[in-house]
Amino acid sequence: MMGMSYFTNPVVFILDSVFSFYSIAVLLRFLLQWCRGDYRSPISKFLITITHPPLKLLRRVIPAIGNIDTASLVLLVVLQLLSDVTIGYLEGVVSLSAFSIGGLILTVFAQLLALLLHVLFYAVFARALLSWFDQGGYNDVSRLLYSITEPMLRIFRAMLPNLGGLDLSVILALMGLQLAEMLLLPPLYQLASLIG
């Protein structure tokens, strides 16, 4: 006889996929605005189209601070909270009447930091791969990756001595992002579990 998990697992999978996809779209839009990225590419236009309705509402009450689109950050927090509570409730892990607000908020912060580090890691990695296979090409994907990764790579380039035209900033950036994940996330998750 099939248990409830037979029906719950597909629902959780779909919800988790939708929340993850939309959170990544909002994060990419936030990064594009923060980096003053190119909004003319079809990918950028797609990100704007799918994230515009909720952001339009939020921006009425949440103003931007310089280049920082605070409405996008609030939307990311809300999406992650909804995802955690909904999926946790469906899996029987979270009781809606008994969960620690502090622990949940700290967990959400850690999850969003992990998402940011993963997006940056894969963006840098994809940019490096494209530079090997698409020499001299400047397509929409390359332009998007350049917009998101160049501010960070510029910092790593400034830390390196002149190596005669050899650019090791990508390797440093990938290592830095991995180290940040190893050093920052475990303490945050541990603190969240202590509060919860």
Side-chain angles (χ1 to χ4, degrees), residues 63-129:
I65 302 171
N67 281 356
I68 299 172
D69 182 17
T70 47
S72 292
L73 293 177
V74 169
L75 182 56
L76 279 169
V77 169
V78 169
L79 285 169
Q80 193 62 56
L81 275 169
L82 278 173
S83 173
D84 287 354
V85 171
T86 306
I87 291 171
Y89 180 71
L90 286 171
E91 292 179 332
V93 177
V94 173
S95 166
L96 292 181
S97 60
F99 62 84
S100 163
I101 296 291
L104 186 61
I105 288 174
L106 198 54
T107 301
V108 164
F109 175 73
Q111 289 169 327
L112 291 177
L113 180 59
L115 180 66
L116 173 65
L117 293 172
H118 289 153
V119 164
L120 289 174
F121 181 89
Y122 288 113
V124 170
F125 188 73
R127 178 179 167 179
L129 278 181

Side-chain angles (χ1 to χ4, degrees), residues 2 13 23 27 51 78:
M2 292 181 290
F13 170 74
S23 294
L27 179 59
T51 58
V78 169

Side-chain angles (χ1 to χ4, degrees), residues 16-57:
D16 187 41
S17 300
V18 170
F19 276 119
S20 298
F21 171 77
Y22 201 73
S23 294
I24 289 170
V26 174
L27 179 59
L28 287 172
R29 177 160 183 187
F30 169 79
L31 290 172
L32 277 172
Q33 184 165 342
W34 181 66
C35 301
R36 299 179 194 266
D38 184 3
Y39 284 97
R40 294 169 297 175
S41 77
I43 298 170
S44 299
K45 288 176 183 174
F46 170 73
L47 292 172
I48 291 167
T49 302
I50 65 170
T51 58
H52 184 69
L55 287 176
K56 183 181 178 184
L57 292 173

